[in-house]
């Protein structure tokens, strides 16, 4: 009798420990797979990533089911459900997989979107989106540098936040931070910028589609507005495809125009920082985003008619699942509590920058598109 009870107790403890691993609670980590002892290539990476990716994928499945049964946008369901599981990103085995979902899977999904876009669609937008993006990005960075001093903040923070708002959110913040002069406030400013820009981008993803409807923008104008104003790539994609596939395609193209501004902007900031503060530009030079190259390559292949319809359809479906999974991962990373403890001045600055770029793009859309 006692042996049966002991066996049942041991089984219950094992089950509880397995649940702890999924909930982010503390438990002994499994021994890492050593090189040379892997049963198949990539086993160690798979063991490390699968808990977080599994959670993000499960949220994506649940969001898809809810969207199909209740007629609401799948991206919005994925975002909101993901945010309810934010505690998984605070500690535990899920963190690597959540990061992988919100970055690598996101970029892979965005790259595959090129399979549904052609050069003809891009050229049909005209030169206005290109000019709009350049003016919006440059003016937002200059505004951040100007207002930061008036708010009692470091001018470097204004450049950092303006670049993050103007180009591509957290990715731009990290790239710009790598070339700004290093000091004791650098890391704090970078973390603060990433947290606030992610929260603002999440809010914009939810509210901007409603704004385009209130302003009666057509699908093309709505795509230009969303792609030219929302900070992060994932939220642009999510907001665009909430409205329609065409709006999502246009928003993605315009957003990738902003992403392509990353290299010249970062190199310009590095040059100016080196001139003003010799030796202060430290940090590695940013690399050309490979997902942007892949996106452009797929657009070219599709434009030339070399991509069969079955291949384009398959790439589109895989892309959709990747993006929903990535949105779930981004939701799990979003913490409004951190934003509330950051102080009001940096938040006000970034809200003003967000409003500025939205105003610039909206004027261009209403008057010149």
């Amino acid at each position: 009798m006692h042996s049966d009870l002991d066996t049942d107790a041991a089984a219950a403890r094992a089950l509880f420990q397995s649940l702890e691993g999924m909930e982010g609670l503390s438990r002994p980590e499994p021994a890492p797979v050593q090189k040379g002892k892997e049963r198949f290539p990539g086993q160690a990476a798979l063991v490390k990533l699968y808990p977080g990716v599994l959670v993000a994928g499960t949220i994506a499945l649940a969001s898809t089911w809810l969207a199909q049964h209740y007629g609401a946008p799948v991206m919005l369901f994925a975002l909101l459900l993901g945010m309810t599981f934010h505690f998984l990103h605070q500690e535990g085995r899920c963190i690597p997989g959540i990061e992988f979902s919100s970055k690598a899977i996101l970029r892979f999904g965005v790259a595959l979107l090129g399979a549904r876009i052609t050069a003809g669609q891009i050229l049909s937008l005209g030169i206005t989106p290109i000019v709009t993006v350049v003016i919006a990005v440059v003016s937002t960075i200059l505004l951040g540098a100007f207002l930061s001093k008036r708010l009692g903040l470091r001018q470097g923070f204004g450049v950092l936040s303006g670049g993050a708002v103007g180009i591509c959110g957290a990715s731009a913040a990290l790239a710009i931070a790598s070339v700004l002069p290093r000091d004791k406030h650098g890391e704090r400013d970078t973390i603060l910028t990433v947290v606030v820009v992610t929260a603002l981008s999440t809010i914009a993803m939810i509210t901007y589609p409603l704004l385009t409807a209130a302003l009666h923008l057509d699908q093309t104008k709505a795509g230009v507005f969303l792609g030219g104003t929302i900070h992060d790539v994932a939220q642009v994609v999510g907001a665009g495809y909430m409205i329609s596939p065409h709006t999502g395609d246009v928003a993605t193209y315009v957003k990738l125009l902003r992403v392509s501004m990353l290299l010249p902007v970062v190199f310009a900031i590095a040059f100016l920082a080196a001139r003003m503060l010799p030796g202060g530009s430290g940090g590695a030079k940013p690399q050309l985003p490979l997902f942007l190259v892949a996106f452009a390559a797929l657009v070219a292949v599709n434009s030339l008619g070399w991509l069969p319809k079955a291949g384009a359809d398959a790439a589109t479906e895989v892309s959709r699942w990747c993006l929903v999974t990535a949105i779930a991962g981004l939701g799990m990373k979003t913490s409004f509590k951190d934003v509330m403890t950051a102080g009001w001045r940096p938040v006000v600055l970034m809200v003003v920058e967000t409003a500025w770029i939205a105003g610039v793009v909206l004027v261009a859309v209403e008057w010149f598109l």
Side-chain angles (χ1 to χ4, degrees), residues 9 20 81 155 283 307 320 327:
E20 283 182 333
L81 288 177
Q155 193 169 33
L307 187 64
R320 187 183 72 84
I327 287 287

Side-chain angles (χ1 to χ4, degrees), residues 93-112:
R93 294 178 58 197
C94 290
I95 295 177
I98 293 173
E99 293 290 337
F100 181 81
S101 298
S102 63
K103 294 177 181 178
I105 293 180
L106 162 66
R107 292 168 183 170
F108 184 70
V110 171
L112 289 180

Side-chain angles (χ1 to χ4, degrees), residues 22-23 49-60 77-91 94-102 105 198 202 235 324-336 338:
M22 293 301 295
E23 293 179 358
L49 297 176
Y50 90 88
V53 174
L54 181 61
V55 174
T58 302
I59 293 174
F77 273 128
L79 176 67
L80 296 177
L81 288 177
M83 291 174 64
T84 63
F85 288 91
H86 171 65
F87 65 93
L88 292 177
H89 189 256
Q90 294 177 314
E91 60 176 323
C94 290
I95 295 177
I98 293 173
E99 293 290 337
F100 181 81
S101 298
S102 63
I105 293 180
T198 300
T202 301
Q235 279 89 339
V324 176
T325 302
I327 287 287
L330 283 168
M332 287 187 282
K333 292 174 60 177
T334 302
S335 172
F336 288 104
D338 293 340

Side-chain angles (χ1 to χ4, degrees), residues 270-281:
F271 175 78
L272 292 175
R275 291 289 298 270
M276 292 185 293
L277 294 172
S281 62

Side-chain angles (χ1 to χ4, degrees), residues 108-254:
F108 184 70
V110 171
L112 289 180
L113 286 176
R116 63 181 301 163
I117 300 176
T118 65
Q121 293 171 327
I122 294 175
L123 294 176
S124 68
L125 297 175
I127 196 172
T128 301
I130 299 175
V131 176
T132 300
V133 164
V134 173
I135 293 175
V137 170
V138 174
S139 64
T140 301
I141 295 174
L142 293 177
L143 178 69
F146 174 78
L147 289 181
S148 58
K149 282 191 172 182
R150 275 67 187 173
L151 289 172
L153 301 169
R154 297 170 58 252
Q155 193 169 33
F157 179 80
V159 173
L160 180 66
S161 61
V165 169
I167 303 175
C168 56
S171 299
L174 297 175
I176 294 172
S178 69
V179 298
L180 284 174
R182 298 186 182 279
D183 57 37
K184 61 181 181 179
H185 301 295
E187 184 175 346
R188 183 202 64 187
D189 288 350
T190 302
I191 294 173
L192 178 59
T193 300
V194 169
V195 170
V196 177
V197 80
T198 300
L200 290 175
S201 189
T202 301
I203 295 171
M205 174 186 169
I206 298 172
T207 58
Y208 281 9
L210 301 176
L211 179 61
T212 62
L215 295 174
H216 304 291
L217 300 180
D218 61 35
Q219 293 186 6
T220 298
K221 289 183 177 181
V224 174
F225 176 75
L226 297 176
T229 56
I230 300 178
H231 312 324
D232 287 321
V233 176
Q235 279 89 339
V236 168
V237 173
Y241 287 101
M242 281 182 191
I243 298 176
S244 72
H246 175 72
T247 300
D249 291 344
V250 174
T252 301
Y253 161 64
V254 175

